[in-house]
Amino acid sequence: MPKTKRPESLMIQAVKNNDLKKVTALLKHTTSVNDTDRDGRTALWWAIHLKSGEISELLVANGGELERSWLQIETGQNTLAEVIKNRGVSDLNRCKLFILTGAGISAESGIPTFRSPNGLWNHPDSQRIATHSHFVKSRKSVINLHVKLKKLMKEKVPNQAHFALAALEQQWLGDLLVVTQNVDNLHFKAGSLKVPKLHGCLSEKRCEACGRVSQWTTEDLDSAPCSKCMRSTPHRPNTVLFGEESHQHEMALRAAAECELFIAIGTSGMVAPAFSLVGLANNAHKIEINTEETEVSGLFDEKIQGQAHIEVPKLMKLLGVRI
Ligand code: OAD
């Protein structure tokens, strides 16, 4: 097989510019199956389908597996709605989709966000207390803060945005990862089964000796021994305090880096790893749903300004999800 003479980026650029002449010229060098590129990576396969003189599809196979990547190639400055209008939705619902949710998705359910004017972190002490170093010094005050938040969130119910994402989980044909920074459990109450909780969950407690996570059903944290290790080491809330590492963040980083469509819903993007996720999604069309401009808005291709409970169901319908 001939060696690939040109880097992928030239081809992508040519496709983006709809430069048929250049694509055809590049194809002469790159069209063979099982090409090896200049860095020796195997099985890079380009196939361009030309319909009525236009570039209609770019297929890339890596490691032998065929992937459609027209989404990232064709959206450019376009909105997803425009692309779907031109292309239909049939291929799209097989793409790799990554969704990050934050406090804004639960605003309509009556849970204040963290950084809004009447937000949970607006109390001068809250941010200072919700830290690992404070937990080491004054365990009781951190637990009291959790008890307060737990009470606030207890009776809350999911809204249309959570339900739309639960429907998405049932119906999406491609790789999908929805991750949440929220500790309110509303994705699960809406029926989602596979939403990693980067910051843990207020309805769970964790044994500090063996790490076993169980439901936190009592009002305060009880001192009963752990049912797994039987030790009397106290339990703690299964949440992430400032200064502690997020849960399952490696999975989130990997999925964000690999996705083709990235959607951030109702997050200010100010807390790790959220702010780094969008920056990793280099190959994706990136959409932000938020009522306001955020500090990371500039990193998105498309901004949908509006409330999550209205905009998320609309976007899911656009993606072919039946709600
Ligand atoms: P923030 O309070 O920082 O941001 C909430 C975002 O939601 C803001 O950008 C709002 O503009 C937006 N918003 C508000 N209402 C909305 C609505 N109805 N529809 C859409 N967007 C809306 O909350 P997060 O970004 O989630 O961490 O905060 C991240 C983390 O910071 C939290 O998980 C928490 C906090 O410290 C821990 O507790 C470890």
Side-chain angles (χ1 to χ4, degrees), residues 143-201:
I143 290 175
N144 286 347
L145 176 68
H146 279 76
V147 169
K148 212 170 93 189
L149 292 177
K150 202 165 137 66
K151 272 191 193 142
L152 173 85
M153 295 183 190
K154 195 175 164 203
E155 306 296 331
K156 304 296 188 233
V157 292
N159 64 56
Q160 292 314 311
H162 299 100
F163 288 119
L165 295 184
L168 171 81
E169 184 184 288
Q170 296 279 319
Q171 296 170 36
W172 195 251
L173 298 175
D175 289 350
L176 169 70
L177 186 64
V178 180
V179 295
T180 189
Q181 301 168 89
N182 298 345
V183 290
D184 57 26
N185 220 20
L186 292 189
H187 285 296
F188 299 88
K189 286 188 182 170
S192 288
L193 299 173
K194 300 178 209 156
V195 180
K197 296 163 279 190
L198 294 175
H199 296 160
C201 181

Side-chain angles (χ1 to χ4, degrees), residues 39-143:
D39 299 329
R41 287 175 301 179
T42 51
L44 176 68
W45 177 38
W46 301 96
I48 303 289
H49 295 241
L50 307 176
K51 274 189 206 146
S52 45
E54 289 217 333
I55 297 161
S56 69
E57 209 164 321
L58 176 65
L59 306 177
V60 187
N62 267 318
E65 218 177 283
L66 197 67
E67 295 166 14
R68 279 165 198 265
S69 57
W70 61 264
L71 186 67
Q72 80 203 52
I73 306 287
E74 291 208 1
T75 47
Q77 296 305 307
N78 297 341
T79 64
L80 191 64
E82 282 164 354
V83 176
I84 290 172
K85 199 166 152 217
N86 295 335
R87 302 292 310 257
V89 80
S90 61
D91 287 344
L92 179 61
N93 65 7
R94 291 179 189 278
C95 85
K96 292 179 186 162
L97 172 56
F98 181 91
I99 299 183
L100 169 69
T101 71
I105 196 171
S106 300
E108 189 63 21
S109 297
I111 301 175
T113 61
F114 288 93
R115 294 173 180 81
S116 56
N118 60 346
L120 296 173
W121 285 164
N122 241 20
H123 189 280
D125 273 350
S126 304
Q127 282 211 55
R128 185 178 60 79
I129 292 175
T131 61
H132 179 73
S133 54
H134 200 83
F135 187 60
V136 174
K137 278 193 300 216
S138 169
R139 190 183 171 84
K140 192 66 195 157
S141 60
V142 178
I143 290 175

Side-chain angles (χ1 to χ4, degrees), residues 102-104 113-115 121 181 199 240 242 266-268 271 290-291 308:
T113 61
F114 288 93
R115 294 173 180 81
W121 285 164
Q181 301 168 89
H199 296 160
V240 174
F242 289 106
T267 175
S268 59
V271 172
N290 202 299
T291 44

Side-chain angles (χ1 to χ4, degrees), residues 302-318:
E302 185 177 345
K303 279 157 248 170
I304 300 177
Q305 188 165 22
Q307 294 175 303
H309 72 289
I310 295 171
E311 300 303 332
V312 174
K314 272 190 349 207
L315 186 61
M316 290 306 117
K317 280 186 194 158
L318 190 66

